């Protein structure tokens, strides 16, 4: 019989590993989809970084910052943009969707989650910066 994990507010043990593996899978899928769709790999890294401009909302305050950040860093937005691009046959939207999928994958792989308003480091996966 194993002992239960110490609850820290962060995702721990096997669920943490699975979430990171999901992030890795999404990163690989996003990069592959971007390349398969005809995206120029030279632009992939700058486009991946462009998503983090959503952090500019924090210049206004923590609550609007968390909202804007979360809109750009979740599976719903990524898959909605990708699906719309594929459905309408709009290459720019399709590529943007693949970039969002890859970016969210990178964040989940790194352990970054959706933000709560009290602080940038307060996420649904636990506190960023806390020893995990």
């Amino acid at each position: 019989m194993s002992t239960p994990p110490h609850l820290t507010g962060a995702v721990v043990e096997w669920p943490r590993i699975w979430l990171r593996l999901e992030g890795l899978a999404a990163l690989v899928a996003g990069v592959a989809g971007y390349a398969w769709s005809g995206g120029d790999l030279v632009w992939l890294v700058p486009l991946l970084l462009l998503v983090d401009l959503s952090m500019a909302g924090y210049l206004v305050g923590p609550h609007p910052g968390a909202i804007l950040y979360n809109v750009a860093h979740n599976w719903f937005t990524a898959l909605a943009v990708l699906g719309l691009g594929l459905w309408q046959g709009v290459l720019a939207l399709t590529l943007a969707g693949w970039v969002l999928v890859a970016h969210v994958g990178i964040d989940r792989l790194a352990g970054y989650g959706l933000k709560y308003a009290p602080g940038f480091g307060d996420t649904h996966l636990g506190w960023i910066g806390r020893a995990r």
Side-chain angles (χ1 to χ4, degrees):
M1 176 183 265
S2 67
T3 59
H6 174 68
L7 300 179
T8 63
V11 178
V12 295
E13 296 188 2
W14 278 103
R16 176 177 175 232
I17 293 168
W18 283 116
L19 287 171
R20 299 253 173 128
L21 289 172
E22 285 179 353
L24 177 61
L27 169 59
V28 170
V31 171
Y34 178 87
W36 174 77
S37 296
D40 188 346
L41 292 178
V42 170
W43 286 102
L44 183 57
V45 171
L47 291 171
L48 287 168
L49 295 173
L50 186 67
V51 178
D52 279 332
L53 286 179
S54 63
M55 287 189 278
Y58 281 96
L59 296 173
V60 177
H63 187 71
I67 291 171
L68 185 58
Y69 180 92
N70 289 342
V71 165
H73 288 81
N74 70 81
W75 299 121
F76 175 81
T77 301
L79 294 174
V81 170
L82 176 59
L84 185 63
L86 291 169
W87 177 48
Q88 293 297 311
V90 178
L91 181 60
L93 273 180
T94 301
L95 294 176
W98 285 124
V99 167
L100 286 169
V101 166
H103 187 94
V104 174
I106 290 170
D107 278 6
R108 297 306 182 270
L109 178 60
Y112 299 157
L114 299 174
K115 309 299 184 198
Y116 290 108
F120 183 79
D122 192 6
T123 81
H124 85 285
L125 297 176
W127 184 260
I128 296 173
R130 179 184 295 155
R132 297 185 194 188

